[in-house]
Amino acid sequence: MIKIICGPKGSGKTKQIIDAANTSAAEAKGHLIFITDTKRYMYDLKRDVRFIDVTDYNVAGEDALCGFIKGAIAGNYDNEYVFVDGAARIAGKPLGEMAAFFYMLDKVSELRNLQVVVTCSCAKEDLPDFVAKYL
């Protein structure tokens, strides 16, 4: 299952995804992964949430991000939640051009029974159809 947290820049999306990760950590039976492109929020997350800053791994582009997420998931079969803060920013692409990324997330989340939460810097009414279906 994929959940989208959307809104314009500065609307509190990162705070919402951090709060969602911390809340999920309290009730999760499996592992949680938080993927972003900055270390700024590392200490805002509970210790149980595996924090990954993609800049440490030179992830650039949509394909690299897809592969990185698949690799992080493959590292442990007990993963339950994946949080991605700023997928379009990490991929370096406009959200409207990331249909393949969301298709991959959908398939992986179904296959591995994962809860995936992604932030998108976009007003709700401006979301592409392939993203809006996850609201």
Side-chain angles (χ1 to χ4, degrees), residues 43-117:
Y43 299 109
D44 295 337
L45 291 163
K46 290 187 177 177
R47 190 172 156 244
D48 296 334
V49 180
R50 180 176 170 205
F51 179 85
I52 303 173
D53 177 0
V54 296
T55 60
D56 292 340
Y57 303 95
N58 297 320
V59 174
E62 182 180 11
D63 291 339
L65 180 58
C66 287
F68 186 85
I69 290 172
K70 288 178 188 177
I73 292 168
N76 192 328
Y77 285 98
D78 293 338
N79 293 315
E80 189 174 349
Y81 291 91
V82 176
F83 300 90
V84 183
D85 185 29
R89 183 180 65 238
I90 295 168
K93 289 180 83 172
L95 186 62
E97 296 176 13
M98 293 189 60
F101 173 77
F102 284 94
Y103 177 79
M104 179 277 303
L105 278 183
D106 189 47
K107 294 303 171 196
V108 169
S109 69
E110 284 179 25
L111 181 67
R112 299 295 296 274
N113 197 26
L114 292 170
Q115 305 290 320
V116 180
V117 181

